[in-house]
Amino acid sequence: LKHSKKHLDPSIMLPTGRFYQKPFEFAINHYTYYQCYTCKEPYYGGQHACGAAIDGEVQDDIHREHLQCSRCVAKQLGKSVCT
């Protein structure tokens, strides 16, 4: 949240906000996280709005084996990833 300055969002900061003092709930509601099929670690998958639909259709047919973090993909390609 800090990287994108979303920790300052009014819905987190204002007492009347839906996620007042609940940044974790804000993040879970606005961003998509997946478990890597290979290493089983969680990774950031983008904003919900970005992955919610492709060509207007919700994607429910995602194969778990296709969900891999950048480290595991890089390993498979023989590359390294900065940490």
Side-chain angles (χ1 to χ4, degrees), residues 39-77:
C39 70
K40 308 301 184 222
E41 292 294 319
Y43 70 95
Y44 173 68
Q47 293 185 7
H48 279 304
C50 295
I54 297 175
D55 294 330
E57 295 183 24
V58 175
Q59 299 298 302
D60 289 329
D61 60 347
I62 297 172
H63 299 281
R64 290 184 187 266
E65 61 271 13
H66 295 163
L67 299 176
Q68 291 186 301
C69 67
S70 57
R71 278 193 184 135
C72 290
V73 171
K75 271 186 188 177
Q76 286 179 343
L77 298 173

Side-chain angles (χ1 to χ4, degrees), residues 14-53:
L14 298 177
T16 56
R18 178 177 173 198
F19 300 103
Y20 179 60
Q21 296 183 338
K22 299 176 187 172
F24 178 77
E25 288 182 26
F26 177 91
I28 294 298
N29 189 269
H30 287 80
Y31 302 110
T32 303
Y33 297 90
Y34 298 105
Q35 181 181 30
C36 177
Y37 181 78
T38 304
C39 70
K40 308 301 184 222
E41 292 294 319
Y43 70 95
Y44 173 68
Q47 293 185 7
H48 279 304
C50 295

